[in-house]
Amino acid sequence: MLTSAGFEKVETLVTFERLLDNDVSDAHGTTLGGAEAASQSVEIARTAFRDDRFHRDTRVPKDGADELKARWVANSFAGRADAIVVRHENERVVGFCACLYREPHAVIDLIATAPDAQGRGHGRALVAGALAHYTGQAQAMRVGTQLDNHRSRKLYVESGFVEVSRADTFHWVAT
C-alpha cells in the first residue's frame, strides 16, 4: 500500500538488546573520549560508513551522507551523547562509540572504526567499553542496525545482544 502511494522502502532496522551485567570483557584499550578525540572521530565518521540508510539511498549524494555522519559525531562531542567511548592505536583514535542514556536503557547511537583499522577487533572492544561504562547505570543496552548490514549484526550477536524488533523505514518520494 505504501509503495503504491509513492513511498519507497529504504531499510529494515533491526534492534538488538543486551542486559547489562558484570560479565564484560575485552574493553581494554578503550577510554571515554574528550575534546582531544573529537576531530579524529569526526574524520572517522566522514570516511567509515557504507552500509547505513543514508549511504544506500541513491537520492542522497555520498558526500552529503558523509557530512551528515561527521556532523552527527561533532554534535555527539558537543553534548548530544551521554558518553563516547574511543579506542586508540599508536596514539591515534581508530574508533568511537557514541552512546545515549534513555532510562532504563543505554543506547549505542553511532559507532565506527577507521576504514584502515577495520577487522581487527576494535569494534568489539568499543562495544565492550560501552557495556562496561553503563553497567550499574542502565538495565540494558540497545542498538539498531540495518538488516543487510551483516558485519554489524554479527558484531552485536557476538557481543551477547539478541534481536528484539524489526521495523521497515519508508520515505516518500516526490515524482
Side-chain angles (χ1 to χ4, degrees), residues 32-144:
L32 289 181
E36 77 290 343
S39 64
Q40 291 180 66
S41 297
V42 166
E43 285 309 307
I44 290 169
R46 188 174 274 121
T47 60
F49 291 95
R50 299 180 302 271
D51 296 320
D52 63 293
R53 69 177 183 217
F54 302 108
H55 285 86
R56 289 190 174 176
D57 189 332
T58 58
R59 293 172 306 277
V60 177
K62 181 189 177 312
D63 59 340
D66 292 344
E67 186 59 26
L68 179 132
K69 293 297 186 169
R71 289 185 186 195
W72 189 330
V73 173
N75 287 337
S76 293
F77 276 94
R80 172 182 164 75
D82 173 63
I84 304 172
V85 176
V86 296
R87 178 132 164 130
H88 291 86
E89 184 177 76
N90 300 325
E91 305 296 320
R92 171 184 159 227
V93 174
V94 293
F96 67 85
C97 181
C99 300
L100 309 172
Y101 181 61
R102 303 292 186 257
E103 192 173 349
H105 298 102
V107 178
I108 294 177
D109 190 42
L110 194 64
I111 182 172
T113 301
D116 65 336
Q118 292 178 1
R120 299 198 318 244
H122 298 303
R124 188 172 16 267
L126 288 164
V127 170
L131 291 166
H133 176 74
Y134 285 101
T135 295
Q137 296 179 58
Q139 292 178 4
M141 179 164 281
R142 287 192 172 175
V143 63

